[in-house]
Amino acid sequence: MQTLEPDEILGDPAIFFGRYFNREPFLRRSALRADPAQVLSIADLDTVINSEAIRLPYLDVAKDGKQVPTAAYTEPVVVQGTYVTDRVVPARIASLFRSGATLTFNSLNHHRANLRALAASMTAVFAAQSEVIGFLTPATRRGLAPHYDPVDVFVVQLAGSKSWKVWPVPPRRRGDDLGNLNEAELGEPAIAATLEPGDVLYVPYNCAHVATAGDRVSLHLSITVQPRRWAGLLEEVVAHLVRDDPRFWGNPWLRDETTPARLREMLDFLTDRLSTVDGEAEVTRLIAEGIERAKGTDAFAALADAAAADAIQPDSMLARDGRVRVDVIGYEGDRVRAAIDGAIYALPNTVVEALSAHPDGATCRAGTLLPNSSSDVSTRTARTLARIGVLRPVSRAPVAALPVAET
């Protein structure tokens, strides 16, 4: 399993954002450093389907340009007494695929660690929601009719080949999904090319496109990025201002004869407030909020780490896990009451201070966690911290003792 990096998708960022982003489609041949088969294979998709736990909307099926009704490939099932209405049936999916249907695997980043990492890295670049979708199309078939999408799409060909037509960015971009288009009315495409494994194609949002598989089964990823248009960004700026200022919190009666004049006053006040906004600081905030809002779940071995805590010995190497916060609530003699993952613990003062001040990833041995205590006490404390997630066992790491605050 290999992970793609943003530069494999975008190429030179200066060129991409300076010339292509939001302006025109582009094609990059042999763009991947990674082996396409190690990013995602057709056999990997068999594994996803055969888990027998896939539900809508994680899978769509289309044939001859039309969506196949979901009833054709789902069934109800009772899971531990709970009635689930839309479990995907692997055998029906296989039958539809053999008959020429295209399978769309939505949000594959929810299933595959390497694609989760890819979505996270693209989210960081664009400060916007990114998803990874897989398209498996039988040889010579076209899954969808010409259409456009409300998202930017980076097509990464992984297996087989697929011939694409992509039309120029339209003069007016609605930002939504209009449905199927008439190819005869679209004019000359901006790009007409056949993608081979390792090729990358960029399709800006609302660019019409259509694709047909070559003489073998085609597998490609569509890495989508949700545009943050000016209208939405301005709404976020205004919402941030009015949310944090008590003068906007009143609840007027709209039928009151004074309301129009008061509305004018509030608009004037908002205009004054907007004139004081620091553009650079506001963009920094919008970037941070976009990443935070769009990020997925972190991939980590929480269950295995918790189980491994029972086996920690004095020589066991542990690392600080910065994803788990330690918030001090109060002091009780030489102990500290701290909130950790929503639970309250009483821990030695020196331990809490060291954990609070130390960066993510710092390592130590369990037996030396508490320098002024015995190896046995230090190890038992380390086991407790590992069980609640503050520390995590590591197999190999450089020894660097956690700093202990002076008391």
Side-chain angles (χ1 to χ4, degrees):
M1 184 184 296
Q2 296 181 6
T3 299
L4 298 178
E5 300 296 335
D7 68 302
E8 295 178 83
I9 309 302
L10 306 178
D12 185 331
I15 295 175
F16 172 74
F17 287 105
R19 175 178 175 182
Y20 296 105
F21 176 60
N22 210 25
R23 296 182 182 91
E24 61 179 290
F26 83 121
L27 172 63
R28 296 178 57 239
R29 296 290 190 187
S30 302
L32 303 189
R33 292 187 297 273
D35 178 358
Q38 294 300 314
V39 175
L40 182 75
S41 69
I42 297 173
D44 292 331
L45 296 181
D46 267 328
T47 300
V48 172
I49 292 175
N50 287 325
S51 69
E52 295 193 62
I54 301 300
R55 298 180 57 190
L56 303 180
Y58 281 112
L59 189 65
D60 285 331
V61 182
K63 187 176 181 181
D64 299 327
K66 299 179 181 179
Q67 296 290 333
V68 174
T70 58
Y73 55 91
T74 62
E75 67 179 3
V77 64
V78 177
V79 181
Q80 297 296 305
T82 299
Y83 191 71
V84 178
T85 62
D86 56 358
R87 183 183 69 170
V88 170
V89 184
R92 296 183 189 175
I93 293 297
S95 178
L96 286 166
F97 181 69
R98 292 189 188 104
S99 69
T102 287
L103 309 182
T104 302
F105 293 80
N106 295 312
S107 298
L108 274 173
N109 44 296
H110 293 182
H111 300 287
R112 302 266 301 174
N114 63 331
L115 301 183
R116 183 181 299 117
L118 172 59
S121 64
M122 294 292 281
T123 290
V125 170
F126 289 89
Q129 179 75 44
S130 177
E131 294 279 340
V132 181
I133 304 169
F135 289 84
L136 188 67
T137 304
T140 72
R141 293 289 182 148
R142 172 185 291 186
L144 299 174
H147 66 284
Y148 63 67
D149 299 311
V151 291
D152 279 16
V153 179
F154 298 87
V155 176
V156 180
Q157 191 70 28
L158 298 180
S161 63
K162 207 163 197 180
S163 296
W164 286 77
K165 292 181 181 179
V166 183
W167 282 266
V169 173
R172 291 191 62 188
R173 302 167 79 181
R174 296 165 52 96
D176 58 4
D177 188 347
L178 189 62
N180 292 342
L181 305 172
N182 185 340
E183 184 171 347
E185 298 176 355
L186 293 175
E188 288 296 316
I191 291 178
T194 298
L195 271 63
E196 303 289 345
D199 293 343
V200 174
L201 173 67
Y202 169 57
V203 183
Y205 81 92
N206 280 182
C207 275
H209 54 274
V210 68
T212 304
D215 59 2
R216 295 185 181 183
V217 170
S218 167
L219 170 61
H220 81 262
L221 296 180
S222 282
I223 304 161
T224 67
V225 176
Q226 181 67 54
R228 296 178 73 185
R229 292 179 285 276
W230 278 117
L233 293 172
L234 292 173
E235 287 176 0
E236 291 185 45
V237 172
V238 172
H240 179 68
L241 284 177
V242 301
R243 182 177 62 244
D244 294 346
D245 193 321
R247 282 170 286 191
F248 292 107
W249 296 354
N251 183 26
W253 180 41
L254 291 179
R255 294 187 181 276
D256 190 300
E257 62 181 12
T258 66
T259 298
R262 293 178 62 197
L263 175 62
R264 182 68 263 168
E265 291 176 2
M266 296 304 291
L267 290 172
D268 291 341
F269 177 65
L270 176 60
T271 300
D272 290 340
R273 286 295 312 276
L274 286 171
S275 69
T276 67
V277 170
D278 182 329
E280 185 173 344
E282 192 65 7
V283 167
T284 299
R285 186 187 67 80
L286 289 169
I287 290 172
E289 286 198 353
I291 293 173
E292 180 64 26
R293 192 166 57 237
K295 76 176 185 180
T297 59
D298 292 329
F300 57 99
L303 304 181
D305 286 349
D310 297 337
I312 288 174
Q313 299 299 316
D315 286 338
S316 298
M317 190 67 71
L318 305 173
R320 173 74 170 95
D321 194 332
R323 292 169 296 197
V324 180
R325 291 181 52 184
V326 179
D327 296 317
V328 174
I329 297 175
Y331 296 86
E332 299 175 351
D334 62 349
R335 301 183 75 79
V336 175
R337 294 179 68 247
I340 304 175
D341 261 6
I344 307 300
Y345 297 88
L347 300 171
N349 181 44
T350 54
V351 173
V352 173
E353 290 183 356
L355 293 175
S356 298
H358 203 76
D360 182 21
T363 59
C364 70
R365 294 193 186 280
T368 60
L369 176 64
L370 302 178
N372 297 322
S373 301
S374 68
S375 175
D376 180 60
V377 170
S378 183
T379 301
R380 283 190 279 113
T381 301
R383 287 177 188 146
T384 298
L385 293 173
R387 290 188 187 107
I388 61 181
V390 177
L391 300 177
R392 52 184 169 81
V394 294
S395 55
R396 295 188 185 91
V399 179
L402 293 172
V404 179
E406 294 183 0
T407 57

